[in-house]
Amino acid sequence: MERNIKVSIIEDDDTIRNGYTFLIGNSEGYEVVSAYCSYDSAAHTIAADKPDVILLDIEMPGINGIDAIPRLKKLLPNAFILILTVYESEKLIFEALGNGASGYLTKNTPSAKIIESIKEVRDGGGPMSINIAKMVIKSFQKNQESPLSKRETQILEQISDGKSRSQIARELFIDLETVRSHIKNIYIKLDVNSRADAIKAARQNRFI
Amino acid sequence: MERNIKVSIIEDDDTIRNGYTFLIGNSEGYEVVSAYCSYDSAAHTIAADKPDVILLDIEMPGINGIDAIPRLKKLLPNAFILILTVYESEKLIFEALGNGASGYLTKNTPSAKIIESIKEVRDGGGPMSINIAKMVIKSFQKNQESPLSKRETQILEQISDGKSRSQIARELFIDLETVRSHIKNIYIKLDVNSRADAIKAARQNRFI
DNA sequence: AATAAAATCCCCCTATCGGGGGGATAATCT
DNA sequence: AGATTATCCCCCCGATAGGGGGATTTTATT
């Protein structure tokens, strides 16, 4: 038989923490090695617990969950972090994932899905609640109603890669003046007058 | 009772297409309104089928699935597109999602999950296979072992926003020469000698 | 066939920028 | 104590960006 998946829980609400501990502890193949009410109280001992997966809340006294992620990663480079929170804000989700969280579940997630997700992160997967997946996918989707033409979009993308006019001209096999002309039109359409502003406007509206 | 979810299938392999048609057609609450073997053959009539969800393959004769997405979106702005393919390449996934696909499943997905995912996209969700979710999440995660210091990372991020040295200096309330100095160090650490190359190297290694 | 939109190229101008070189100093962290 | 980081200073110069003013051709769309 395979060894149990070792889970640590960091969650400030006593009721919820105990609930998860009970739920996971009673699931076949799972084992709760520790449960803390904050990152601060976990910091000194969690490395010794050697969890495979850490269930992490975001709203917490002291160091919040988002900032705890990189610290936990440093203490336990091989542990996977699964965020379990009520927050569905885009900013928090992307910060959490950017900091190294491997999954993001909201607290209305059914017990069975939580148990399944713990296994999934341990196996290198990336479980997400439906709403989270939706936001994540949305973040990839370009705006279909861009005022920019294909060529303009392409050139603006190169500009956002830090390329100069002449570099772009060379790569697209067009004249430097043509690039200039396109950039002028991009600026007019986006109502800006600098690269930085064009990139900002285009990213905000997901034209690139 | 709610009305059936109308599904269109675009898939070139006869066996697979017929298999999906049978599977979905026999599921309670689902209805296959049409099944095509290519985008080209679907183009003229699919709008009249008024599907809620389009199951789309990527490898196909004629216009491929990736390029078909924006066209389908134009024909059926309210339909959701669910990619069902064997490909797990990062490039294809991000292109598909960027073009407007709402979900991405690989062909080893169990039948029940496919049926469930169709409902999920129809409801605005973003279903993904485990491996896909993993890649998507990975794409958000920064490299924890960046050689760049916090300040350097911050400045490189501003550079990737297209900002000039003086602009960065102003925004960070530091001297222009300090910014210059940081950029020099960034270039040394990344072994590059231009903004474009620095951005490229940093993005490739997910330092920013 | 006609109109519009997109893509291509050409000239003027000048202040700013970017990258290469050479340093120094104080603050932090380890 | 030593290393890293963040800050600031000087030199140089060619390339760049953005502001004007245009024109022509190709490609869609009607």
Side-chain angles (χ1 to χ4, degrees), chain B residues 130-179:
Chain B
I130 290 180
N131 291 342
I132 307 303
K134 182 180 163 181
M135 278 190 256
V136 166
I137 284 193
K138 220 178 185 175
S139 81
F140 282 102
Q141 292 178 351
K142 287 191 184 174
N143 191 332
Q144 312 285 148
E145 286 118 42
S146 170
L148 304 179
S149 72
K150 271 199 172 181
R151 198 56 147 180
E152 285 162 354
T153 305
Q154 187 182 23
I155 286 174
L156 189 49
E157 263 160 7
Q158 309 229 47
I159 285 180
S160 80
D161 288 337
K163 292 175 185 163
S164 69
R165 293 173 184 168
S166 50
Q167 219 174 337
I168 295 171
R170 253 175 283 130
E171 286 181 26
L172 298 181
F173 304 106
I174 55 178
D175 195 276
L176 175 70
E177 284 300 325
T178 307
V179 178

Side-chain angles (χ1 to χ4, degrees), chain A residues 121-179:
Chain A
V121 280
R122 199 278 312 266
D123 294 337
M128 285 175 274
S129 297
I130 290 180
N131 290 342
I132 307 303
K134 182 180 163 182
M135 278 190 254
V136 166
I137 284 193
K138 222 180 186 172
S139 80
F140 281 101
Q141 292 177 349
K142 289 189 184 174
N143 190 335
Q144 312 285 149
E145 285 120 41
S146 170
L148 303 178
S149 74
K150 270 198 173 182
R151 199 54 148 179
E152 286 162 355
T153 305
Q154 188 183 23
I155 286 175
L156 190 49
E157 263 159 7
Q158 310 230 47
I159 285 181
S160 80
D161 288 337
K163 290 174 187 164
S164 70
R165 292 173 184 167
S166 48
Q167 220 174 335
I168 296 171
R170 253 175 284 132
E171 289 182 26
L172 298 183
F173 305 105
I174 54 176
D175 195 274
L176 176 69
E177 283 301 325
T178 308
V179 177

